């Protein structure tokens, strides 16, 4: 039996999606999985650059750099509407002045960083840091603004921050498409048969979680940055949807447009490879 290395983030959407798979509750065929590594998505992005894992969560931005090694699986993605990164600050800064400011991003290979580069193509000083440190850095004056992701979007207002730009809404307004945030990728070298089995197992795990959400909650809570049940549930509802079951044509089109625009901006390399597993 082939044992595959696996990595995903400790965020509620990923632990919800992978709960059944890592607990042996669904059929995985003749494949098995090593104990998963739960790490921040930017660390997973950097590991993929080093070809460390067989199956891994990736930002779509990172995926655009890795098509020679990895392909996108149809199941497990974070993609949708009204769920994009938010550019926030302590005060209402004018957008046309942001090129003179320091802006925190949750890693250079995150989709949040790619969206910010496309939204502000010139000038800003980008400061990389873990997503959960960005609001503190703004409060302390280390940076002037920051792009927040994950649970932070549910708590920034109560902490006194102002949203300068919803980057996901900007994307939707300019493209008409849902925003691709993150995907599950697997090594191309595994071959079509194994890739299909991996994809089917993740889809089965997603389906299990939708049918038995309460069963997943203790595992999700044990890894979440936020402990408030409502915040965790809001996170899952925002980032896990029908696109997480399968990207489908609309999801794939959105990813291809993101890659096209990223290449046109110079942020992503050109590639003629198929983006999806076949």
């Amino acid at each position: 039996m082939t044992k595959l290395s696996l990595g995903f983030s400790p965020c509620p959407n990923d632990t919800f999606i992978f709960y059944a798979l890592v607990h042996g509750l669904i059929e995985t065929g003749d494949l098995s999985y090593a104990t998963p590594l739960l790490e921040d998505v930017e660390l997973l992005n950097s590991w993929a650059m080093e070809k460390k894992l067989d199956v891994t969560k990736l930002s779509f931005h990172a995926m655009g750099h890795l098509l020679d090694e990895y392909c996108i699986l149809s199941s497990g993605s974070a993609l949708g509407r009204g769920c994009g990164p938010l550019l926030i600050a302590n005060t209402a800064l004018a957008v046309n002045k942001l090129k003179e400011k320091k802006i925190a991003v949750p890693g250079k290979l995150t989709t949040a960083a790619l969206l910010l580069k496309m939204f502000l193509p010139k000038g800003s000083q980008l400061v990389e840091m873990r997503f959960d440190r960005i609001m503190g850095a703004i409060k302390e004056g280390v940076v002037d603004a920051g792009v927040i992701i994950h649970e932070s979007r549910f708590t920034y207002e109560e902490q006194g921050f102002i949203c300068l730009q919803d980057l996901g809404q900007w994307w939707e307004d300019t493209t008409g498409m849902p925003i691709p945030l993150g995907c599950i990728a697997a090594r191309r070298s595994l071959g079509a048969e194994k890739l299909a089995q991996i994809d089917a197992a993740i889809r089965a795990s997603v389906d299990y979680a939708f049918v038995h959400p309460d069963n997943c909650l203790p595992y999700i809570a044990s890894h979440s940055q936020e402990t408030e049940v409502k915040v965790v549930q809001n996170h899952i509802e925002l980032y896990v949807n029908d696109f997480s079951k399968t990207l489908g044509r609309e999801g794939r089109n959105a990813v291809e447009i993101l890659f096209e625009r990223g290449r046109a901006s110079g942020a992503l390399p050109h590639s003629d490879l198929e983006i999806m597993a076949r």
Side-chain angles (χ1 to χ4, degrees):
M1 179 176 284
T2 302
K3 181 166 283 193
L4 301 172
S5 54
L6 171 65
F8 53 89
S9 84
C11 294
N13 58 306
D14 282 350
T15 48
F16 178 86
I17 284 170
F18 280 98
Y19 171 78
L21 187 149
V22 301
H23 289 85
L25 300 174
I26 49 96
E27 178 60 50
T28 60
D30 60 356
L31 301 178
S32 64
Y33 298 84
T35 301
L37 301 174
L38 275 66
E39 298 289 351
D40 176 63
V41 70
E42 183 67 351
L43 180 56
L44 296 173
N45 290 339
S46 66
W47 281 354
M49 291 291 188
E50 300 167 4
K51 306 177 183 179
K52 181 170 182 175
L53 298 174
D54 297 315
V55 182
T56 183
K57 174 68 175 283
L58 290 178
S59 300
F60 274 110
H61 181 189
M63 188 67 229
H65 290 274
L66 290 162
L67 288 168
D68 58 338
E69 182 70 21
Y70 290 93
C71 55
I72 300 168
L73 300 178
S74 183
S75 298
S77 287
L79 185 149
R81 297 182 185 275
C83 61
L86 305 179
L87 176 59
I88 67 166
N90 275 328
T91 57
L93 301 172
V95 169
N96 62 0
K97 297 292 185 182
L98 289 175
K99 62 183 179 182
E100 304 167 6
K101 306 294 184 180
K102 291 182 180 179
I103 304 178
V105 293
K108 66 181 180 181
L109 291 173
T110 58
T111 307
L114 177 59
L115 287 170
L116 183 65
K117 287 178 182 178
M118 291 193 288
F119 177 67
L120 297 173
K122 296 181 180 178
S124 301
Q125 301 175 56
L126 302 189
V127 181
E128 297 173 40
M129 61 183 66
R130 270 182 60 98
F131 77 93
D132 53 349
R133 297 174 183 165
I134 289 177
M135 291 197 292
I138 299 171
K139 280 183 180 179
E140 293 164 10
V142 175
V143 293
D144 300 295
V147 182
I148 58 169
I149 57 175
H150 302 326
E151 297 98 320
S152 301
R153 69 174 293 125
F154 302 109
T155 61
Y156 78 94
E157 287 182 299
E158 66 190 42
Q159 296 188 47
F161 294 102
I162 296 168
C163 181
L164 306 180
Q165 178 65 52
D166 183 328
L167 294 173
Q169 191 60 54
W170 169 77
W171 167 267
E172 291 180 47
D173 290 344
T174 56
T175 68
M177 302 299 291
I179 177 64
L181 299 171
C183 65
I184 309 302
R187 291 186 192 276
R188 291 183 184 273
S189 59
L190 290 168
E193 184 177 347
K194 286 187 175 67
L195 290 171
Q197 288 184 57
I198 298 164
D199 215 344
I202 296 171
R203 172 61 191 267
S205 191
V206 174
D207 288 341
Y208 178 96
F210 273 116
V211 175
H212 307 285
D214 292 345
N215 294 2
C216 311
L217 287 178
Y219 178 68
I220 294 167
S222 71
H223 293 287
S224 177
Q225 290 282 336
E226 291 289 340
T227 56
E228 187 178 338
V229 173
K230 185 61 177 174
V231 172
V232 171
Q233 289 175 333
N234 286 344
H235 183 116
I236 294 168
E237 289 171 5
L238 187 64
Y239 294 109
V240 186
N241 51 40
D242 285 344
F243 290 118
S244 305
K245 296 178 180 180
T246 178
L247 277 175
R249 179 174 293 180
E250 184 181 18
R252 179 178 178 133
N253 287 346
V255 175
E256 289 177 341
I257 290 171
L258 180 71
F259 287 173
E260 287 170 7
R261 293 196 172 208
R263 290 163 185 162
S265 72
L268 293 178
H270 177 76
S271 175
D272 291 321
L273 291 168
E274 271 287 334
I275 65 172
M276 304 285 295
R278 284 184 175 270

